[in-house]
Amino acid sequence: MKFFETHAHYSDDIFKNNQEEILKKCKDANIEYIIDVGYNTESSKKTIDLASKYDYVYSAIGIHPHDVAKDDYHKIYDLYQEKKNDKVVAIGEIGLDYAFVKDNKKEQIELFINQIELANTLKLPIIIHSREAYLDTYHVIKENKAEYGTLFHCFHPNDDLVRLVLENGYMVAFGGNITYKRSKKFTEYVRDIPLEQIVIETDSPYLPPEPYRGTVNTSLNLPIICAKLAEMKNLDVEDVSKAVFQNAKDFFKV
């Protein structure tokens, strides 16, 4: 089986001493493509530089809601124009996060909308981060269409978001969190979403799957996630791996 890593952070400092080694192991393990994802201007520049070194690594650039007070989305546009190449395949990760800070919702929403508009200008899809902000995420996405594709990273389904995904054909990414103990309702949501709208990810170095919680996550764990997804959907793992691989290729146009 071959795999497409749709969300990782190999340009982070945690990999500064073994980045080359890990990426080689991934390639040797049939990880055919990797999207390295930025979360502010500095990290976005690093993802572009990383993608320029490896033919199987691509870049997503954007400002995470945690950096709303520290960064300016105009810099992402300037970075794209400066480094413009076909290895930049998405604007992300962008979105809303109310888990730790709730007094800047207005600013987060404004940044989110501005980056959706930026993606439309650059003719790129978006990668959405949404945590404890599903209702506002729902309204922003419904009222501000990303014209070139929408992917929900580390998707946490609920009735409203699943309905929005199904109605609009949006893509969702499942990662190591689907291997954690989940409610029966969560499994029902996964089964309700058509396979053609699903990709897989690790969010490396975060969210390692069972049984590796507490360790540094890498794309080498994608087969575990794929197997769990196949189990939840009562499908053959080979069929699931082929489908999510092609889905990712189509979405990112690589």
Side-chain angles (χ1 to χ4, degrees):
M1 291 185 290
K2 56 186 179 180
F3 299 94
F4 193 128
E5 166 69 272
T6 62
H7 198 112
H9 301 283
Y10 289 114
S11 52
D12 278 16
D13 286 344
I14 195 170
F15 293 112
K16 65 182 178 181
N17 294 324
N18 64 349
Q19 181 191 80
E20 184 175 355
E21 176 189 354
I22 292 293
L23 287 173
K24 184 180 186 305
K25 285 182 178 179
C26 289
K27 185 63 173 177
D28 291 344
N30 295 321
I31 313 299
E32 297 286 327
Y33 300 96
I34 295 171
I35 306 297
D36 199 63
V37 181
Y39 44 84
N40 56 30
T41 302
E42 181 182 357
S43 65
S44 293
K45 182 180 184 301
K46 290 179 180 178
T47 71
I48 294 175
D49 292 341
L50 187 67
S52 71
K53 289 175 60 178
Y54 299 92
D55 60 358
Y56 54 97
V57 177
Y58 290 78
S59 171
I61 60 176
I63 300 173
H64 188 285
H66 283 174
D67 283 74
V68 63
K70 307 173 192 175
D71 217 332
D72 182 351
Y73 78 97
H74 291 97
K75 294 179 181 178
I76 296 296
Y77 176 80
D78 292 341
L79 179 63
Y80 179 84
Q81 294 300 328
E82 176 190 347
K83 302 283 188 176
K84 191 172 183 179
N85 60 63
D86 59 4
K87 299 301 288 293
V88 178
V89 294
I91 297 298
E93 59 188 286
I94 65 175
L96 304 173
D97 193 325
Y98 301 160
F100 303 108
V101 180
K102 295 185 172 77
D103 61 357
N104 63 356
K105 291 182 179 180
K106 180 179 178 181
E107 291 80 4
Q108 286 193 40
I109 290 171
E110 182 178 358
L111 176 64
F112 190 12
I113 293 172
N114 284 335
Q115 290 189 97
I116 293 172
E117 293 174 350
L118 174 61
N120 290 340
T121 297
L122 299 180
K123 298 182 179 181
L124 293 173
I126 61 172
I127 301 173
I128 296 176
H129 169 102
S130 179
R131 182 162 55 174
E132 296 186 21
Y134 78 88
L135 191 57
D136 282 350
T137 299
Y138 174 89
H139 288 304
V140 169
I141 292 299
K142 191 169 183 178
E143 296 166 11
N144 301 271
K145 181 177 175 57
E147 297 174 4
Y148 296 91
T150 297
L151 170 61
F152 282 90
H153 148 65
C154 194
F155 189 56
H156 290 268
N158 60 58
D159 288 342
D160 286 334
L161 286 181
V162 169
R163 183 167 59 251
L164 191 66
V165 163
L166 295 178
E167 288 175 352
N168 293 276
Y170 295 151
M171 301 297 293
V172 302
F174 290 115
N177 60 323
I178 70 170
T179 69
Y180 306 162
K181 187 176 181 180
R182 289 292 188 182
S183 67
K184 181 181 177 182
K185 185 66 173 174
F186 186 94
T187 300
E188 290 174 359
Y189 283 133
V190 174
R191 289 176 179 168
D192 286 344
I193 299 171
L195 185 58
E196 58 265 28
Q197 289 175 241
I198 296 175
V199 297
I200 57 175
E201 64 176 14
T202 62
D203 198 19
S204 170
Y206 312 106
L207 293 177
E210 296 287 2
Y212 298 114
R213 295 186 75 173
T215 67
V216 173
N217 196 14
T218 75
S219 304
L220 297 173
N221 290 326
L222 282 171
I224 297 173
I225 296 163
C226 188
K228 184 62 178 181
L229 178 61
E231 176 191 321
M232 295 173 81
K233 293 187 76 66
N234 294 321
L235 296 171
D236 178 77
V237 67
E238 291 268 0
D239 292 338
V240 170
S241 69
K242 290 177 183 176
V244 297
F245 181 86
Q246 190 60 50
N247 292 345
K249 284 198 70 177
D250 292 343
F251 182 82
F252 289 109
K253 295 181 172 56
V254 301

